[in-house]
Amino acid sequence: MKADASEAAAAVEEIVLTPIDLRKKLVQITLEKKKLTHVVAKVGIVLDITGSMQALYKNGTVQEVVERILAVASKFDDNGTLDVWVYDTHFSRLPSVTERDFVDYVQNKILNNHEIHKFGRNNEPPVMEDVIRKYTVEEDDGIPVFIIFINDGGVVKPIKKVITAASVQPIFWQFVGIGQSDFEVLKQLDTMEGRVVDNANFIHLDDIAAVSDEQLYDQLLNEFPSWLMAAKEKRIIRSS
């Protein structure tokens, strides 16, 4: 009887798990595989809102991306929140998102927000400078920062200077290219010289909606462990 009761309880648990709970379980598996379970980090996402992204905002893909990355923040982040920026020629720093308020976040906080400049051309350095300002001036506490930067093609070349200058900061930049662009500049990140540590990585996903959560989390967190090690050696972040 006890075994039957245990099995029934397990079945009930599986039934009531929400999508965010299921994704958190997958993130936990990835963290264990990459030996990151002890790491505390702040997590932020920068979302391209240029004209070519319009369909992805309106069909729910960007909302899904926010929810998928929120699962990472929920396991990783020091306070379980995901910091959010959007950018085209201008940028906006948006309210952070949590498990309590992620439903319809993109519709409510981005698409319905008429103060946000949207669907123009791309200009990455200003939003990157604001990310750096938040985590090194406003919140200068030495906690590692993991930034996921979503872009659907074409970044301005001056981002190289920003990334190089930021290599002394406790920020790792994980660029995610979506769509069919060639991503010429972003592909050069791993071979950029003049940095104290390699503080950026690029992955290309033709159709991010078609990539499983397991694959996404594995690729997103692929180079973060090596950056953590290098940043500790250079005393950019504190050793735990």
Side-chain angles (χ1 to χ4, degrees), residues 25-26 30 66 73 96 124 154 180 188 199 204 207 212-214 231:
K25 284 179 174 287
L26 295 175
T30 304
V66 169
S96 299
E124 289 76 22
Q180 303 298 321
Q188 299 169 10
N199 61 336
H204 180 201
D207 182 1
S212 71
D213 289 332
E214 295 95 327

Side-chain angles (χ1 to χ4, degrees), residues 84-105:
V84 184
W85 285 261
V86 293
Y87 81 96
D88 55 4
T89 46
H90 298 67
F91 73 87
S92 296
R93 190 195 299 188
L94 303 180
S96 299
V97 61
T98 71
E99 291 183 54
R100 298 182 300 276
D101 56 15
F102 69 87
V103 176
D104 293 329
Y105 179 88

Side-chain angles (χ1 to χ4, degrees), residues 199-210:
N199 61 336
N201 184 45
F202 170 69
I203 60 175
H204 180 201
L205 306 172
D206 282 343
D207 182 1
I208 193 168

Side-chain angles (χ1 to χ4, degrees), residues 8-231:
V12 169
E13 180 187 7
E14 291 302 318
I15 291 171
V16 300
L17 284 178
T18 65
I20 189 73
D21 290 328
L22 291 171
R23 283 172 168 152
K24 284 164 62 178
K25 284 179 174 287
L26 295 175
V27 172
Q28 181 65 26
I29 292 170
T30 304
L31 295 180
E32 291 171 358
K33 183 168 67 174
K34 297 183 182 296
K35 297 180 171 58
L36 291 171
T37 54
H38 65 290
V39 173
V40 174
K42 298 178 180 180
V43 182
I45 187 168
V46 180
L47 296 165
D48 183 342
I49 197 167
T50 55
S52 53
M53 287 284 293
Q54 193 164 172
L56 296 179
Y57 276 88
K58 293 184 176 178
N59 70 12
T61 297
V62 175
Q63 173 68 31
E64 189 77 1
V65 168
V66 169
E67 293 182 20
R68 295 171 87 175
I69 303 306
L70 176 59
V72 178
S74 296
K75 298 298 293 185
F76 235 166
D77 193 85
D78 59 324
N79 59 4
T81 64
L82 175 64
D83 299 323
V84 184
W85 285 261
V86 293
Y87 81 96
D88 55 4
T89 46
H90 298 67
F91 73 87
S92 296
R93 190 195 299 188
L94 303 180
S96 299
V97 61
T98 71
E99 291 183 54
R100 298 182 300 276
D101 56 15
F102 69 87
V103 176
D104 293 329
Y105 179 88
V106 168
Q107 188 66 45
N108 295 335
K109 302 297 184 181
I110 300 177
L111 295 179
N112 290 348
N113 186 343
H114 300 299
E115 295 183 2
I116 292 175
H117 196 278
K118 50 181 82 79
F119 308 132
R121 292 172 297 165
N122 63 295
N123 185 25
E124 289 76 22
V127 70
M128 295 174 72
E129 294 287 1
D130 193 61
V131 170
I132 294 167
R133 183 162 48 249
K134 174 178 172 61
Y135 295 119
T136 65
V137 178
E138 298 170 20
E139 302 175 12
D140 184 15
D141 50 20
I143 296 175
V145 180
F146 183 55
I147 294 294
I148 295 138
F149 200 111
I150 307 293
N151 171 268
D152 80 336
V155 296
V156 296
K157 290 184 178 180
I159 74 162
K160 291 183 175 182
K161 292 182 179 179
V162 180
I163 292 171
T164 300
S167 66
V168 297
Q169 305 292 359
I171 303 172
F172 182 76
W173 304 83
Q174 177 60 65
F175 288 87
V176 181
I178 58 177
Q180 303 298 321
S181 293
D182 60 15
F183 300 101
E184 178 184 359
V185 175
L186 293 177
K187 286 178 180 177
Q188 299 169 10
L189 292 179
D190 277 338
T191 57
M192 280 173 47
E193 297 181 351
R195 291 177 291 170
V196 176
V197 295
D198 181 355
N199 61 336
N201 184 45
F202 170 69
I203 60 175
H204 180 201
L205 306 172
D206 282 343
D207 182 1
I208 193 168
V211 177
S212 71
D213 289 332
E214 295 95 327
Q215 292 172 316
L216 180 64
Y217 298 142
D218 186 71
Q219 291 188 61
L220 283 178
L221 295 167
N222 194 42
E223 287 204 15
F224 189 53
S226 57
W227 172 80
L228 283 170
M229 187 178 300

